[in-house]
Amino acid sequence: MAANEFKHKSILLDESVKWLITNKDGVYVDCTMGGAGHSFGFASQLNEDGMLIGIDQDEDAIAASKKRLAPCKCRIATVKSNFKDFDAVLDSLNIEQIDGIFFDLGVSSYQLDTPERGFSYMHDGPLDMRMDKSAKLSAEYIVNNYSESELADIIHRYGEERWSKRIASFIAAERKNKHISTTFELVEIIKKAIPKGARMDGPHPAKRTFQALRIEVNNELGILQKTMENAVARLKTGGRIGVITFHSLEDRIIKQTFAALAKGCICPPQFPVCVCGRKPQLKKVGNIVPPAEEIEENPRARSARLRFAEKC
């Protein structure tokens, strides 16, 4: 798909820009640049001496964002990398501390709506789900090679799917007859596995399983806590962090990590004086959800939440 066809409606855009940008000459990092929706909003607020660093592991996103950001007057650097490696990106640019850092943890509309990327249960395509197309692990490999118990575990843990064992059992039985290679093949298996009565309520029957597979393919949860800790460490005093989450698992990790970083002394309560010497790293910790009108205009915003904090 051509770069100019990379479409994605940025969620909580105004709120994110208003929170993050405090210094028009500062250095800001968008660790999940996508099609540069948020990045363009950030960069538009910066002066010529300001800098926006955009990171994404998707080649299509990099191509689209370079074109989108071209009119901005601030300095721009776009880098193909996983956001967990943003430390190395900053080091390569000889930047020690930054004024703000941002993460949008959702899958882009472009990725969902491009069948050949294999993210969506609504489009038939190869069972892929790799955000970085050069990565080795794909959803197809997981579905056809993980043991039945491993499949049940990730579908339950990452998808919070009550029918995880039954879905894993049906997948294991089906792959004995035929290699499972497309999204619609997997959707049909899931539909057969979930009892008809259960399929009538709630979201699409394949939603939770597809979410679980995507998280496993891209190790989305495993990298979050350490990445957030590293991000806060690179902020200047008064620098800000913003993270948009889309489901309870990732949101819980961000919430707990921010809370831990905002906490000071961790000595046992019976100690008369503090001996740990721990100081809070964050303040102004809070969160925002999209207003009703944004959810009405963009249903994908329904589960979004912006968590934010400031470096002490």
Side-chain angles (χ1 to χ4, degrees):
M1 182 172 285
N4 62 359
E5 295 176 8
F6 197 111
K7 304 291 186 183
H8 179 66
K9 189 169 185 61
S10 299
I11 293 170
L12 288 163
L13 176 59
D14 293 342
E15 294 86 348
S16 298
V17 173
K18 184 178 179 180
W19 169 254
L20 201 72
I21 307 300
T22 57
N23 177 10
K24 291 184 178 294
D25 295 321
V27 178
Y28 294 86
V29 184
D30 185 345
C31 285
T32 47
M33 183 171 52
H38 286 100
S39 283
F40 184 81
F42 301 144
S44 297
Q45 298 297 310
L46 302 180
N47 297 327
E48 291 180 2
D49 290 334
M51 185 175 189
L52 189 284
I53 302 164
I55 300 171
D56 206 287
Q57 59 185 331
D58 190 318
E59 295 172 357
D60 295 335
I62 294 288
S65 60
K66 284 182 177 180
K67 184 172 182 179
R68 179 83 187 274
L69 294 169
C72 297
K73 61 184 178 181
C74 68
R75 294 174 293 155
I76 301 288
T78 56
V79 182
K80 183 182 182 297
S81 180
N82 187 297
F83 67 70
K84 69 180 175 63
D85 298 319
F86 82 91
D87 255 332
V89 172
L90 292 180
D91 291 343
S92 71
L93 296 170
N94 296 314
I95 295 172
E96 186 173 341
Q97 289 191 302
I98 55 178
D99 295 88
I101 190 164
F102 180 79
F103 301 82
D104 178 354
L105 301 180
V107 182
S108 72
S109 296
Y110 161 78
Q111 289 170 329
L112 285 172
D113 296 335
T114 304
E116 57 264 32
R117 300 303 299 272
F119 284 98
S120 177
Y121 45 81
M122 301 299 291
H123 303 288
D124 195 17
L127 199 53
D128 194 328
M129 301 194 194
R130 293 172 298 166
M131 291 184 180
D132 179 354
K133 291 190 287 187
S134 66
K136 293 182 179 180
L137 184 64
S138 69
E140 181 179 359
Y141 179 87
I142 292 170
V143 166
N144 289 284
N145 293 278
Y146 275 30
S147 70
E148 182 178 331
S149 61
E150 287 173 326
L151 282 173
D153 178 61
I154 66 167
I155 294 170
H156 180 265
R157 181 154 39 103
Y158 295 152
E160 300 179 295
E161 172 60 74
R162 62 178 294 205
W163 302 103
S164 57
K165 289 185 179 180
R166 188 172 165 88
I167 292 169
S169 175
F170 274 60
I171 290 173
E174 184 66 26
R175 70 190 184 189
K176 289 179 181 178
N177 302 321
K178 180 182 180 297
H179 185 86
I180 304 166
S181 59
T182 72
T183 53
F184 274 11
E185 287 174 352
L186 180 58
V187 168
E188 287 306 309
I189 295 169
I190 295 168
K191 285 181 177 178
K192 292 176 184 176
I194 298 177
K196 184 177 180 180
R199 294 200 309 268
M200 304 304 291
D201 298 323
H204 190 286
K207 180 179 180 179
R208 295 185 178 93
T209 299
F210 270 62
Q211 172 182 295
L213 289 171
R214 192 199 78 224
I215 290 172
E216 175 72 6
V217 168
N218 299 287
N219 190 26
E220 294 177 29
L221 299 183
I223 62 178
L224 280 184
Q225 179 178 338
K226 186 62 177 177
T227 300
M228 294 303 123
E229 293 170 348
N230 291 342
V232 171
R234 296 299 286 251
L235 287 174
K236 298 176 181 177
T237 300
R240 294 182 168 188
I241 183 171
V243 185
I244 295 179
T245 65
F246 285 86
H247 59 77
S248 60
L249 297 172
E250 62 190 11
D251 187 62
R252 190 178 305 130
I253 293 172
I254 303 303
K255 179 182 178 180
Q256 293 174 346
T257 304
F258 281 9
L261 292 170
K263 189 175 182 180
C265 174
I266 56 172
C267 293
Q270 63 267 29
F271 279 27
V273 295
C274 173
V275 296
C276 72
R278 181 184 169 102
K279 303 293 183 184
Q281 297 183 56
L282 292 177
K283 61 181 181 178
K284 295 184 179 178
V285 178
N287 70 93
I288 303 171
V289 296
E293 54 267 26
E294 180 173 1
I295 295 173
E296 184 176 350
E297 183 180 339
N298 181 10
R300 287 174 178 166
R302 184 176 293 109
S303 59
R305 182 183 298 271
L306 170 64
R307 291 200 176 272
F308 55 84
E310 182 177 303
K311 180 75 172 285
C312 292

